[in-house]
Amino acid sequence: MNKKEILDILQDNTNNEQLFKKADKIRHDNVGDDVHLRGLIEFSNICKRQCKYCGLRSLNKEVERYRIQKNEIIDYVHNAVNLGYKTIVLQSGEDDYYSVNRMIEIIKLIKEFDVALTLSIGEKTYDEYREYKKAGADRYLLRIETTDKDLYKEMHPYADIENRFRCLYDLKRLGYEVGTGCLVGLPNQTLESLADDILFFKELDADMVGIGPFISHEQTPLKDYPNGDFWLALKVMALTRINMPTINIPATTAMETLNPNGRIIALQSGANVVMPNVTGTEYRAKYEIYPGKICINDKPEKCRGCIENKIKSIGRDISNDYGFHKK
Ligand code: SAH
């Protein structure tokens, strides 16, 4: 689709059901009915950055900060593997404590298990990305957040959108499977810029795209702004599926936060991936990028069983392969 076609659909809410059905069919025809589960470990909530929407921004002094050490990370991996996970996602704030050498050690230990490994630890240099790849990392998640340059500057006053683009193209060049995505409903975000975001995912040739509604956090400068709209986020996701039939698309946790059935609705509107949390209960509430995060009191075992039941209830199954992007 070209920009005008995408924008026309974003502006018109009379055919949403049809759009979601079409995305669901394209998902079915191209990636099948299996849902890939990724076990998410949120290993540090310490962050040097100041993204205006994020509860983990360095200026928020009300979060109790934590770092999970190597051995404990491996315990969570072990448990996740026992629960059947075939992919581990390591996510954190931008925390310089995890130097290249520390990360390499952790990556190598995880790759002793039979799993694919995704990193989501922010903007790094080409050389750092190369070292993680050499150590065994398979995939990398880094949302562009928005491709609107002015809005990006507004949301990240001390960051540079060109560096974020540079990171994504470096990751591609290094042979990672690359996941990106955007927030939907940021203050002053336009539908036109969301159409540009979708075109960018395609231009990058992303392997995975995660779309989430913005959720307003009390301890950030955006506390007085309303949450993003669940249905608009779902439309951006469905349009992404229609334009990129073979990629992996997660039903995001933020969608479930705004709609109690959000992930199932997403799985029936183009998504084929879910990322349950496999971090220990003692850390979950502290990784508060936005409020109202689901499952903060649940153990990994419970999340695994719960999502499996939901997936089966809509006639879908859990994949038992690694879930790489099959082009
Ligand atoms: N530091 C890593 C991981 C960020 S957390 C990185 O920079 O990539 C993962 C995602 O959470 C972010 O990319 C962002 O899109 C999302 N997020 C952060 N704050 C949010 C909020 N208030 N509402 C919804 N999503 C948010």
Side-chain angles (χ1 to χ4, degrees):
M1 295 166 93
N2 62 34
K3 183 164 170 181
K4 176 161 188 318
E5 290 167 320
I6 295 174
L7 193 53
D8 282 347
I9 292 179
L10 288 174
Q11 284 166 339
D12 167 25
N13 281 318
T14 59
N15 289 311
N16 287 357
E17 273 317 307
Q18 217 178 309
L19 173 73
F20 300 144
K21 277 216 179 82
K22 180 169 174 188
D24 192 45
K25 177 162 188 334
I26 291 179
R27 185 271 309 153
H28 172 269
D29 293 348
N30 288 276
V31 296
D33 278 339
D34 280 3
V35 176
H36 301 289
L37 296 186
R38 323 293 202 196
L40 175 66
I41 302 177
E42 298 162 336
F43 68 96
S44 166
N45 69 353
I46 297 178
C47 192
K48 65 181 179 191
R49 304 197 38 160
Q50 294 178 33
C51 308
K52 277 197 185 158
Y53 43 81
C54 184
L56 300 184
R57 65 204 306 275
S58 59
L59 290 179
N60 182 5
K61 304 294 176 208
E62 290 177 52
V63 219
E64 195 186 316
R65 305 281 174 170
Y66 70 86
R67 284 186 178 119
I68 306 182
Q69 298 299 324
K70 178 179 72 187
N71 293 347
E72 201 177 345
I73 294 175
I74 299 306
D75 288 343
Y76 294 134
V77 173
H78 201 143
N79 191 33
V81 169
N82 286 339
L83 290 170
Y85 286 98
K86 291 288 193 183
T87 293
I88 297 295
V89 182
L90 281 186
Q91 190 178 86
S92 68
E94 287 199 12
D95 179 359
D96 289 336
Y97 169 83
Y98 296 90
S99 60
V100 180
N101 286 338
R102 283 200 172 110
M103 282 314 298
I104 289 175
E105 232 187 317
I106 296 168
I107 293 166
K108 286 187 171 159
L109 286 169
I110 295 178
K111 288 300 286 185
E112 285 177 18
F113 294 86
D114 179 25
V115 287
L117 175 60
T118 305
L119 301 179
S120 178
I121 58 177
E123 295 176 24
K124 307 283 172 185
T125 64
Y126 180 87
D127 288 346
E128 287 171 307
Y129 288 145
R130 189 191 57 222
E131 291 308 307
Y132 306 150
K133 186 85 185 52
K134 247 183 23 205
D138 301 285
R139 309 184 187 127
Y140 207 100
L141 298 185
L142 186 81
R143 286 183 176 171
I144 191 68
E145 315 294 1
T146 174
T147 58
D148 177 330
K149 294 197 159 83
D150 295 334
L151 180 59
Y152 191 93
K153 190 87 222 148
E154 179 60 35
M155 292 295 110
H156 317 92
Y158 305 103
D160 176 6
I161 194 170
E162 296 307 329
N163 193 52
R164 200 115 178 137
F165 284 128
R166 192 270 307 157
C167 288
L168 287 164
Y169 284 103
D170 280 355
L171 290 162
K172 266 279 172 193
R173 188 143 63 98
L174 284 161
Y176 283 90
E177 276 205 354
V178 175
T180 189
C182 64
L183 286 164
V184 175
L186 290 169
N188 302 318
Q189 188 176 36
T190 61
L191 294 181
E192 189 184 344
S193 82
L194 290 169
D196 285 330
D197 294 350
I198 295 170
L199 294 177
F200 168 69
F201 305 151
K202 179 124 186 169
E203 181 187 307
L204 172 70
D205 192 21
D207 299 289
M208 188 272 218
V209 174
I211 310 288
F214 157 68
I215 301 172
S216 185
H217 191 298
E218 220 8 73
Q219 290 141 21
T220 68
L222 302 186
K223 64 179 161 55
D224 295 326
Y225 287 90
N227 291 340
D229 181 64
F230 171 81
W231 296 103
L232 180 59
L234 199 70
K235 285 179 77 174
V236 174
M237 190 200 80
L239 284 162
T240 301
R241 168 59 73 202
I242 292 167
N243 283 280
M244 303 179 80
T246 67
I247 63 167
N248 285 317
I249 297 186
T252 57
T253 311
M255 287 190 176
E256 188 104 345
T257 300
L258 291 192
N259 182 316
N261 207 23
R263 287 181 301 179
I264 288 299
I265 296 171
L267 286 172
Q268 294 178 306
S269 311
N272 70 320
V273 170
V274 180
M275 298 169 59
N277 201 323
V278 298
T279 321
T281 317
E282 59 268 50
Y283 302 109
R284 291 187 183 199
K286 296 177 191 154
Y287 198 84
E288 196 186 64
I289 49 187
Y290 50 78
K293 244 179 90 194
I294 58 165
C295 311
I296 51 170
N297 295 314
D298 295 340
K299 289 204 160 74
E301 292 68 19
K302 167 133 193 264
C303 289
R304 167 67 211 222
C306 162
I307 197 69
E308 177 159 353
N309 288 337
K310 287 190 179 190
I311 289 167
K312 292 200 161 143
S313 78
I314 54 166
R316 303 268 283 277
D317 229 322
I318 290 175
S319 161
N320 44 33
D321 71 25
Y322 302 105
F324 281 98
H325 175 199
K326 297 181 197 80
K327 291 195 182 183

